[in-house]
Amino acid sequence: MAAVHGDAHDHGHDDHHPSGIMRWITTTNHKDIGTMYLWFSFTMFMVGGILAMGIRAELYQPGIQILEPELFNQFTTLHGLIMVFGAIMPAFVGFANWQVPMMIGAPDMAFARMNNWSFWLLPVAASLLVVSFFVPGGAAAGGWTFYPPLSVQGGLGVDMMIFAVHILGASSIMGSINIITTILNMRAPGMTLMKMPLFVWTWLITAYLLVLVMPVLAGVVTMLLTDRHFGTSFFNAAGGGDPVLFQHIFWFFGHPEVYIMILPAFGIVSEIIPTFSRKPLFGYSSMVYATASIAILSCFVWAHHMFTAGMPTVGQLFFMYATMLIAVPTGVKVFNWTATMWRGSMTFETPMLFSIGFIFLFVIGGLSGVICAIVPIDIQVQDTYYVIAHFHYVLVSGALFALFAGVYYWIPKWTGRMYNETLGKWHFWLSMFFFNLTFFVQHFLGLAGMPRRVPDYALQFADFNKISSLGAFGFGLTQLLFLYIVINCIRSGEKSTQMPWEGATTLEWTHLPAKAPYHSFETPPVVK
Amino acid sequence: MSQESGHYYVPAPSLFPIIGSTALLFMGFGAALTMNKMELGYGLLAIGFAILIYMMFGWFGTVAQESESGKYNDQVDVSFRWGMGWFILTEVMFFCAFFGALFYMRVLSIPWLEEESLVLGQDWWPAYDGAWPTTGPGEFEAFTPMGAWGLPAINTMLLLSSGVTCTLAHHAIKENRREALKKWLLATIALGAIFIACQAYEYVHAYNDLNLKMTSGAYGSTFFMLTGFHGFHVTVGAIMLTVIYFRCAAGHFTSEKHFGFEGVAWYWHFVDVVWLGLFVFVYLM
Amino acid sequence: MSSKSVATLAGVSALALYSSMSTAAGEQSKYNLPEPQSVIAHEIYDMHIWLMWICVVIFVGVFGVMFYSILKHRKSLGYKAANFHHSTSVEIVWTVIPCIILIVMAYPATKTVISMKDTSSPDMTIKATGYQWMWGYDYLTGEGEGISFFSRLSTPRAQIENKEPKGENYLLEVDNRVVVPVGKKVRVIITANDVIHAWWVPALGIKQDAIPGFIRDTWFTVDTPGVYRGQCAELCGKDHGFMPIVVEALEEDDYAEWVAAQLGASEAAAEQAEADAEKEFTMEELNTKGEQVYAAHCAACHQPNGQGIPGAFSALDGSELVNGPVAEHIDIVINGKANTAMTPFRHLSDVDLAAVVTYERNAWSNDTGDVVQPSDINEYRN
Ligand code: HEA
Ligand code: HEA
Ligand code: CUA
Ligand SMILES: [Cu+2]
């Protein structure tokens, strides 16, 4: 153990480490931990995805077929929670673990042992969430936003969810402090802030958002807990509180949270586009400022989720304007990517395809976001499938597609092997097709008046729901192909060269061999 | 191994994190079951705490050893500074949530409720004047609010002076006056302990004499949650100071390198500042 | 992947979309907001179309450029990469233009927000209260003042469980509609009894959350007579999908007629209630009435067979409390149990409560033989 090993290896750096399962349990290596994050997140993606399949199967046709309403609500709630906290966020942290030290020329993360703990808290939280399905009363059923008083009514499952959120919060806070410290304190000599790869920048800003808002989420679930069990009145009008107070605090966390899930995606795409355009990123510094502006603005727009909760007119107008303003820095990013591609010398390997797919669909999601931000229109679309469509466009074809792009891009560096390009392209085109089949029609459903979080619907929504469900099954099956591609690559992929991509310029490509060694940059490289 | 070698110390594989996770596994399930009054929960919770305490002793012990054996070079020291700084920011944000709730109720929801009772009359809410401190418009037992100028004022003095003694201890360590260091540390811990005792007494007083409880509507909720979490942080701070005291007594730290001490001192000052916020917004206004 | 399979895929998806579009012929568009029936709804409808087009133009603009580049600037065509990476003037332009577009978008929106919020000087006021899972309506001021009723889903369970073919207005029909006159400014005061619900009628351009303990208001004026349907739009528990809202707008004369009928009926009902409050009922009468009340207000959770849903809603059949002292039983029904879905049922009349309690104490395997009279209930109200 640590203390015993300490003296023998003063830098704790030779390859003598426990093997088998103990290697993974005790590791302090950023690459091992990154790998665990990524597999954990994929597992949770499967769990969340299976819940989504349950939702879509129930909604395949009108009437109640497979999921009783109470169970349906539990599926929806846990689908949202697991995808957000179990799949997307840990996947990005996994990327940060693998890439940040390599891209800034650091030996490891700043707090390597705490890094291990950040990861191993996740399975604990996940088991609280998953086991809650099997306790009396079932899992939490109040939506991933768990508004009181509905979530004050629930049973044991709600408490398990609350403690899971506490643990997830602790994990994220440790993870983000680690990332901030690594980036600020462990850059190789010569790597000034404005020379950092954009992925590192986006994660630095994301980590700041995390330390700002995760504690607020912990606070609000704590208030929910005491309202439930200790008779406090935070969210109870009779005691002078207000259910809407919960919404304010929740969304003060919740809105920045959605940018936490997209900023690292911007970072990944900003690495990939220049590589495959063989041309430097256009407007590097405006990218950095745009990212920072998005993050800052995101802290002042939370009440756009509450336009129908009732607010004074000035409040509505303020939050509408602030929200709309986010389109400007986001637009700058989109234009910069386009300008990077402009007059490049492009090739279209899978990472590039997913990145272009990302931009294409993310902009659809972003534009529908702006439509949602217009108060009068939001009055119509709030809590309908229009919103479901909006955020799956930014989360699935946004965050998730960027993650796929990143995996294809960096997997040669992670494994030393290439993935199968043909299958990769199939994965992209099938995902693209089925994704749109699933979610595009949901815009129509929402406009025509289908509420979200319902297990059954009126007859005029039947056709689109059927299409959407078919698309969802197709999309789900397509992800099995991804799993196959990854396993196939690890097992028997072709050996990769150090520089499989012609246009790559960051340190992990220029300084490290095909498969990044277990300990990289023990002696920092010097960046000119 | 020279302390200033260029290498950044990366700790060897460790079992402590997984032990900590096991602790939280027991605590998470234990707490959820306990909340729902299921017997099993208490046992799980106790086991969880026991494991957590074991983990903390082991982990912090290892850190102290690594530190004393000179593994942490200056760069590691800087990491600790960044880490502790941002950690304190997260703590500030945690308190912000509760202060936010307090302000929201006082500035918005309670006046709204008062307005409503005027507009809608008795059958909605019983006549409600919305004056703070309040239990809210529902049916709650009456209580007496906690005055600011009794114990709370004394507590303010206690914490402020503990901030001073803590700074004196810091000066002592920088000038390598070890006896003075221990003396001032001890004084800081003692002031903290007295503060906690006063707080405990105040709670007993609130429940027994003032009929002021967690269940006393808006005032009770915010009063106990804010002072409670603050008291918890003071307790944690005092325990950390005690650990530092024993490390000092064992001859740890040098006049140049003593971030363990400084980190705890930062934390202590943070707790101090939060208290000033509490004193003004919870007790005074 | 070959370009041929790409083309096939694209073709199939386009076909799927178009084929679904061709079925859209009916009165209600399947692609857009429902036909607007109030001033606000009109403004929203037009604004949405207009902003949609702006978005389409932006989209086509951005991706026109991008796809041009994708097509032309390929390595496979031998295109050599340029090396520019910065241009302040271009960057300023594409920061400023979106700002201008946003201002153009925000201007009409601001005007609509302000008129949406203006609930002053209404012709009549209706209070809508959300319950798990039905709506309660009270006509507070204006023509019809004093009318008060519950409105709940009238689609039979059998249709939902696929045992019967589904009717035309499946899930969008209620037993009692909210009736309003056309052309009058109706202010709706919205609140809830238990959890948050939301009162939403798309054709009238209204959606407002119902927050327990607080009141919110909104307004509408219906243009043309007709029946306008909406649904609860905030997750409110198990039957959130099953609490529709149906507004029926009548010409003024018809409305007056409706009001007269309702008031007549409610006067009669009030007289009846007054008499009933004193009256001693037989067990049979109470049981019959109790069964109806139970079906309307309790069965959603406790189930028609009294078995509840294990873990979530307690069983009443064989329950110790239901078979125990009457006082506790009445207490939990009137006052509810804090922090559970069992909310107070104070809003039911003494007769209804007496009936349902009697029913529960004697239904299924419960056999206490107790008869609870309205006067007993009255004693427990405070
Ligand atoms: C990754 C996650 C993500 C991202 C990036 C976004 C981005 C945005 N979102 Fe979204 N949102 C969610 C995730 C996300 N959202 C989720 C999960 C919910 C639902 C939560 C729940 O209720 O469960 C939600 C809900 C939601 C609502 C509430 C809807 C409702 O419940 O009624 C609103 C309303 O304003 C909104 C707005 C926006 C806006 C304006 C953006 C902007 O950032 C988009 C900016 C981007 C563009 C505009 C495109 C590119 C720009 C250009 C090409 C420039 C030119 C454009 C113009 C001039 C317009 N979002
Ligand atoms: C964060 C990311 C994220 C991701 C990636 C997804 C992914 C998907 N979501 Fe997501 N969704 C949310 C976040 C996300 N969702 C949130 C926050 C909500 C709101 C919750 C709330 O209202 O509280 C929501 C709500 C939501 C709803 C609305 C539910 C309701 O209102 O009642 C629907 C309905 O169609 C839906 C569908 C899907 C589908 C089909 C996918 C697909 O992309 C999933 C595809 C993945 C798989 C299927 C897994 C991998 C494959 C296998 C394991 C093989 C086996 C597959 C088969 C047998 C087919 N989601
Ligand atoms: Cu009532 Cu949803
Ligand atoms: Cu948002």
Side-chain angles (χ1 to χ4, degrees), chain A residues 88 391-402 404 435 439 475:
Chain A
I88 303 293
F391 70 74
H392 283 89
Y393 266 82
V394 281
L395 279 170
V396 179
S397 62
L400 187 64
F401 272 26
F404 287 146
F435 170 81
F439 292 108
F475 187 79

Side-chain angles (χ1 to χ4, degrees), chain A residues 216 223 249, chain B residues 91-103 226:
Chain A
V216 175
M223 288 181 232
I249 312 181
Chain B
E91 292 275 37
V92 170
M93 290 310 293
F94 183 73
F95 276 98
C96 277
F98 293 95
F99 275 113
L102 173 67
F103 298 149
L226 277 160

Side-chain angles (χ1 to χ4, degrees), chain C residues 330-351:
Chain C
I330 297 180
D331 179 65
I332 197 170
V333 179
I334 295 186
N335 295 317
K337 187 166 169 194
N339 293 352
T340 69
M342 185 62 200
T343 46
F345 281 87
R346 234 179 256 123
H347 52 275
L348 300 185
S349 70
D350 289 354
V351 181

Side-chain angles (χ1 to χ4, degrees), chain C residues 17-65:
Chain C
L17 255 175
Y18 283 125
S19 61
S20 64
M21 281 192 185
S22 58
T23 51
E27 34 159 336
Q28 148 86 55
S29 164
K30 291 171 73 176
Y31 301 95
N32 205 342
L33 296 166
E35 183 118 337
Q37 298 294 341
S38 74
V39 193
I40 297 291
H42 263 291
E43 288 182 21
I44 296 177
Y45 188 93
D46 296 342
M47 198 184 313
H48 173 251
I49 299 274
W50 155 232
L51 296 194
M52 255 275 300
W53 281 114
I54 296 186
C55 288
V56 168
V57 170
I58 295 174
F59 189 80
V60 171
V62 172
F63 290 98
V65 174

